[in-house]
Amino acid sequence: MVKRLMGCLFAVFFSGCATLSQQDCQRGDWFGLGVQDGRSGATSDRLNDHQKACSEYGVAVNDSQYFAGREQGIREYCRIDNAFEEGLQGHDYRHVCPPSIDGVFGRYHAAAYAVHKERAELDRIDNELSSKEISLGDNKLNDKDRARIRNDISHLRRNRDRARDDLYYHERQLNEFRHESQSYR
C-alpha cells in the first residue's frame, strides 16, 4: 500500500498534476472525457483538474459537453451490479449517484468493500505468517529469538482466525445484498 501511494505521489509530482496531455486537450473530446470520468465514478470536481491541465496549453474545456458525457457515464457507473464490482476491486465510492439510488449503491458498495479489505488483511497475515515460519529455519537463531518468533506465529494464527471469521461474516452479508439487489433489476 505504501509503495502504491509513493508511486502515485511520484507520478503526480512529475506530471505537474496534469490530468490531460496537450494532445488530449487539443483533441477536445469533452463529451467522451465526461463519459469516461462518469464511468469511473469521478466527482464533478474532476473537471477543474482538466481545466487546469488544458489551460497550460491555452485550450478551453467545453463544460456543457463534458457534463453531458459525465451524466451518461454516471448512469452506467450507478448500476447496482457495479456497486459490488467497485467495492470488490477496492475502489472508493464518492457518492456520485443520484439521490434515488445513492443510499442503496453506497450500502452495497460498502459491503463489497468490506470483503475486499478482509481478503487483503487475510493475505497480509498469511504472507507475514509464511515469512515468520520460514525464518524459524535459520540455524543462526538463538533460543530466545526462536521463542519470540513462535510467539509471533501463534499471535498471527489467532489474528488469521479472526480475519477468516470477519471475512466469512462479510461474504455472507454481501451474498444477502446480492440476493436483495435482484429486486432492483
Side-chain angles (χ1 to χ4, degrees):
M1 178 95 159
V2 171
K3 287 180 184 177
R4 195 166 143 197
L5 180 61
M6 291 303 291
C8 289
L9 289 173
F10 183 79
V12 167
F13 178 76
F14 282 99
S15 70
C17 298
T19 59
L20 299 173
S21 67
Q22 183 175 4
Q23 184 180 9
D24 291 333
C25 291
Q26 290 172 339
R27 185 177 314 118
D29 181 12
W30 309 121
F31 182 86
L33 185 59
V35 169
Q36 181 183 341
D37 286 351
R39 283 180 183 157
S40 70
T43 64
S44 59
D45 290 344
R46 185 78 169 150
L47 178 62
N48 296 332
D49 298 333
H50 298 323
Q51 288 170 329
K52 287 178 188 173
C54 290
S55 72
E56 293 178 19
Y57 309 116
V59 177
V61 174
N62 185 318
D63 296 9
S64 61
Q65 285 182 8
Y66 175 84
F67 282 121
R70 185 178 172 281
E71 187 176 319
Q72 179 180 320
I74 287 291
R75 281 194 302 270
E76 294 175 32
Y77 175 83
C78 292
R79 293 181 342 266
I80 292 297
D81 287 349
N82 199 43
F84 298 118
E85 183 77 22
E86 288 287 305
L88 286 171
Q89 290 181 12
H91 300 152
D92 290 331
Y93 174 52
R94 297 173 201 91
H95 298 279
V96 296
C97 294
S100 61
I101 195 169
D102 182 68
V104 171
F105 191 98
R107 188 173 57 157
Y108 291 169
H109 175 274
Y113 191 78
V115 169
H116 166 79
K117 283 178 41 179
E118 292 300 334
R119 286 176 179 167
E121 176 64 6
L122 195 54
D123 285 346
R124 185 197 67 74
I125 291 170
D126 283 341
N127 288 335
E128 190 175 348
L129 187 56
S130 177
S131 176
K132 294 282 185 182
E133 289 170 341
I134 289 170
S135 70
L136 269 180
D138 186 351
N139 293 332
K140 297 176 185 175
L141 291 176
N142 60 38
D143 289 340
K144 184 178 178 181
D145 288 338
R146 277 189 206 289
R148 183 186 44 80
I149 291 171
R150 283 190 185 107
N151 187 43
D152 290 347
I153 289 172
S154 178
H155 179 72
L156 285 167
R157 286 180 177 159
R158 284 191 303 274
N159 286 346
R160 183 179 57 188
D161 290 344
R162 276 188 230 111
R164 281 184 182 160
D165 290 344
D166 290 345
L167 176 60
Y168 177 70
Y169 168 79
H170 288 293
E171 285 177 336
R172 269 193 358 248
Q173 184 181 44
L174 179 61
N175 286 334
E176 289 172 11
F177 283 161
R178 281 187 165 155
H179 179 72
E180 176 186 295
S181 75
Q182 299 300 313
S183 64
Y184 289 99
R185 294 181 193 166

